[in-house]
Amino acid sequence: MKTVLAGQHLVSPYCLVSLTPHGDERGKLISIESFRNISFGIKRFYYIYDTDPDWVRGKHAHSNLEQLVIAIDGACRFVLDTGKVREEIWLNRPNIALYIGKYVWREMHDFSYGCKLLVLASEYYQPEEYIRTYDNFIQLAKEQK
């Protein structure tokens, strides 16, 4: 999977994004700013935690939403699907984020104990723009091409 530097224009439906840590002997800090080091404005953020490793999360796509996902602590495996390409990646470092664009099916598997995911979203929560079945996603993905 391609990794880009934070702030580069994102043209892929998904990719890893390298975030620049700043720090010294006191610790590290990563700053994320709308339209500066990510390509969209942040309208919502949420975090996922205390997820049992045996549960699968996600299992949906979005028609009008971009996201940046960061494993603040721990790790989990993402399955990403564009309708043409299906790929698995591990998200396991707080300085490497996962950009997920529109019309990308995502599933999250194999959460480590203590895994904490921070998600930055380009839109407010709108349940009507979720694509919740894989068959519907495949049909809509074909129409987008």
Side-chain angles (χ1 to χ4, degrees), residues 44 62-67 100-102 121-124 129:
R44 179 170 59 112
H62 293 279
S63 63
N64 191 37
L65 180 80
E66 296 173 89
Q67 294 179 319
I100 307 174
K102 301 171 186 175
S122 66
E123 300 298 328
Y124 299 115
E129 69 88 36

Side-chain angles (χ1 to χ4, degrees), residues 34-64:
S34 297
F35 304 112
R36 287 198 172 181
N37 57 354
I38 62 171
S39 62
F40 58 85
I42 302 165
K43 291 188 178 174
R44 179 170 59 112
F45 73 90
Y46 58 92
Y47 48 94
I48 300 168
Y49 67 104
D50 281 348
T51 302
D52 187 293
D54 296 327
W55 284 95
V56 177
R57 295 209 45 139
K59 297 176 79 171
H60 65 269
H62 293 279
S63 63
N64 191 37

